[in-house]
Amino acid sequence: MKKTILITGGAGFIGSHLVRLMVNKYPDYKILNLDTLTYAGNLENLRDIEGRPNYTFIKGDITDGAEMLRIFREHRPEGVIHLAAESHVDRSISDPLAFIRTNVIGTVNLLNAARELWKDNWEGKRFYHISTDEVYGSLGTTGYFTEETSYDPRSPYSASKASSDHMVRAWHHTYNLPVVISNCSNNYGPNQFPEKLIPLAINNIRHNKLIPVYGKGENVRDWLYVEDHANAIDLIFHQGKNGETYNIGGNNEWTNIDLIRKLCQVMDKALNRKPGESEKLITFVKDRAGHDKRYAIDSSKLMNELGWRPSLQFEQGLEKTVKWYLDNEEWLNSVITGEYANYYAQQYDNR
Ligand code: NAD
Ligand code: TYD
């Protein structure tokens, strides 16, 4: 094997798409998927590649520093792509400490383990930290986040991600750890846990349940198809410059209400419903606390320096996503049980 790459959070939404891409594209890399399998981690996401000779799953919790050191010493990765995180803003509002533990302390444990393993020879090593555009805060109606935008996180989730970004840069400047960071906009696509807006709405529409839209639905997000994010990660991992940050976005802004209306149209078609039928399920609910108004990313650095482009138009991406959820009802049904049902009841039923 030419290289050993440790991907954290590979059983989650974005991680599983990245693991599949790397396993398929680089047969001479050894791909290690380190994941503790929280509610968001699901090995079903990777059934199609689990028997491959260049793929290994390791169950491990990044909040355990000693365990990380042991895993790094045993497997000796040359590259780390770090996605493991608590990722849902609403959960961060009800349980911020879980976000500090995983996103901040977990990241520091990985940085320490990489430093310990690589300190005598940085050559060919890379610690790639996957982050979010939410660290930049909230925009008004104009402007974009660039790599120079000051950090201004406003939710426990984004503050924990901002903190982890700072730690990664601190390990670079203080200990020379070879790092790269990317900050991406909202992802959508197959295998996303149905607590996030798009899969939640798809699931509710198929069951004729109300679609909860926070506030007036005027908040704006920039949506990127998950495989386009995975392609950007592959490019940045291999060609990004040491110590640099790259923004990744879809140049695809939607207010939540327009997005949900579009999704309703796609669902009406897919389910052979009368046009306008699914839209009747839209219901406006109490706004999220501290709800960021608008995120919008300027990805010109990534496009100009590394030649990345998103591959899908939004409509195509939405259609593909809807088709995947409707074709994979078993996957969806299996994740909407137990803990998720309690979470959903707490989050929406008292509104
Ligand atoms: P996800 O919640 O779907 O998956 C997270 C994965 O991390 C799960 O498999 C989970 O089991 C694992 N994990 C959680 N805590 C862990 C721990 N203590 N030890 C080991 N594994 C643990 O998240 P996602 O949406 O795929 O996001 C992946 C990364 O990308 C995150 O770092 C997130 O901040 C970032 N990101 C996400 C988006 C988005 O729109 N989803 C956008 C930009 C950046
Ligand atoms: P989400 O998918 O949670 O991503 P993020 O908060 O990281 O952007 O939410 C996307 C947008 O949709 C955000 O503005 C909040 C809103 N939203 C709803 O209106 N209703 C919902 O049920 C959810 C989950 C989100």
Side-chain angles (χ1 to χ4, degrees):
M1 294 282 174
K2 220 163 83 185
K3 230 180 187 168
T4 299
I5 314 286
L6 179 84
I7 298 178
T8 72
F13 166 48
I14 302 169
S16 61
H17 287 273
L18 179 69
V19 165
R20 178 175 300 100
L21 182 153
M22 299 290 278
V23 165
N24 285 332
K25 189 166 171 187
Y26 302 105
D28 55 348
Y29 285 6
K30 187 171 183 185
I31 303 297
L32 309 173
N33 170 14
L34 169 72
D35 198 301
T36 198
L37 303 179
T38 66
Y39 76 95
N42 187 349
L43 289 177
E44 284 301 320
N45 295 346
L46 291 165
R47 279 286 171 250
D48 55 322
I49 55 123
E50 68 184 358
R52 295 292 180 77
N54 63 339
Y55 171 72
T56 306
F57 173 69
I58 304 167
K59 189 166 184 331
D61 185 341
I62 64 168
T63 64
D64 183 338
E67 194 185 0
M68 289 308 105
L69 212 48
R70 189 187 57 69
I71 289 170
F72 272 63
R73 284 192 179 128
E74 183 184 339
H75 295 278
R76 312 194 70 76
E78 282 105 3
V80 174
I81 310 181
H82 172 37
L83 296 94
E86 288 294 338
S87 67
H88 190 40
V89 174
D90 292 324
R91 285 183 191 256
S92 84
I93 294 169
S94 42
D95 184 12
L97 261 182
F99 285 67
I100 309 308
R101 279 188 216 103
T102 295
N103 299 0
V104 185
I105 296 172
T107 301
V108 171
N109 285 336
L110 292 168
L111 289 166
N112 277 339
R115 180 182 165 221
E116 178 58 30
L117 186 68
W118 299 341
K119 64 177 188 269
D120 296 326
N121 181 11
W122 301 121
E123 199 52 41
K125 311 297 194 307
R126 167 150 280 182
F127 189 103
Y128 180 2
H129 178 61
I130 305 300
S131 193
T132 166
D133 61 354
E134 303 190 25
V135 299
Y136 297 122
S138 180
L139 291 164
T141 48
T142 58
Y144 295 92
F145 299 134
T146 73
E147 289 80 1
E148 314 303 323
T149 304
S150 301
Y151 276 31
D152 182 23
R154 295 148 46 100
S155 73
Y157 165 66
S158 55
S160 70
K161 290 298 289 187
S163 170
S164 64
D165 294 10
H166 290 318
M167 294 298 173
V168 173
R169 289 196 184 97
W171 261 245
H172 175 64
H173 291 290
T174 308
Y175 307 113
N176 290 324
L177 194 79
V179 308
V180 68
I181 298 178
S182 60
N183 296 80
C184 189
S185 63
N186 285 59
N187 285 215
Y188 72 100
N191 305 96
Q192 186 169 31
F193 196 81
E195 63 188 353
K196 305 276 168 62
L197 180 65
I198 290 180
L200 185 143
I202 293 174
N203 184 46
N204 285 15
I205 294 168
R206 88 181 164 126
H207 288 303
N208 266 309
K209 278 170 59 178
L210 296 175
I211 312 165
V213 175
Y214 297 167
K216 294 181 179 154
E218 286 167 350
N219 304 65
V220 175
R221 298 292 183 265
D222 171 5
W223 294 93
L224 180 69
Y225 192 66
V226 60
E227 287 178 1
D228 282 327
H229 188 189
N231 284 325
I233 294 173
D234 173 27
L235 193 63
I236 293 167
F237 179 71
H238 287 97
Q239 293 179 34
K241 284 203 204 108
N242 188 20
E244 293 283 317
T245 295
Y246 297 87
N247 280 354
I248 312 171
N251 196 17
N252 177 40
E253 290 180 51
W254 288 79
T255 61
N256 292 335
I257 188 63
D258 286 348
L259 167 69
I260 292 299
R261 289 206 175 105
K262 179 98 225 151
L263 183 64
C264 286
Q265 288 167 13
V266 175
M267 288 291 287
D268 280 343
K269 230 164 67 188
L271 295 170
N272 290 320
R273 291 184 182 168
K274 278 205 298 270
E277 204 168 318
S278 299
E279 261 195 35
K280 293 182 194 150
L281 298 168
I282 293 175
T283 176
F284 294 95
V285 299
K286 192 173 137 217
D287 209 352
R288 173 186 280 172
H291 197 174
D292 286 342
K293 177 77 184 151
R294 174 172 167 257
Y295 305 141
I297 276 269
D298 175 349
S299 8
S300 49
K301 176 175 172 182
L302 178 62
M303 299 210 261
N304 296 339
E305 290 185 15
L306 304 186
W308 175 82
R309 295 280 179 283
S311 69
L312 280 186
Q313 292 299 315
F314 189 50
E315 197 142 329
Q316 286 175 294
L318 263 191
E319 278 169 13
K320 260 179 102 158
T321 304
V322 163
K323 182 170 176 354
W324 186 86
Y325 280 98
L326 297 181
D327 288 349
N328 289 274
E329 285 208 312
E330 239 173 76
W331 182 94
L332 197 49
N333 291 337
S334 75
V335 299
I336 306 174
T337 49
E339 198 269 347
Y340 176 79
N342 297 334
Y343 164 79
Y344 193 90
Q346 263 183 6
Q347 184 69 22
Y348 301 101
D349 279 9
N350 52 2
R351 291 194 159 155

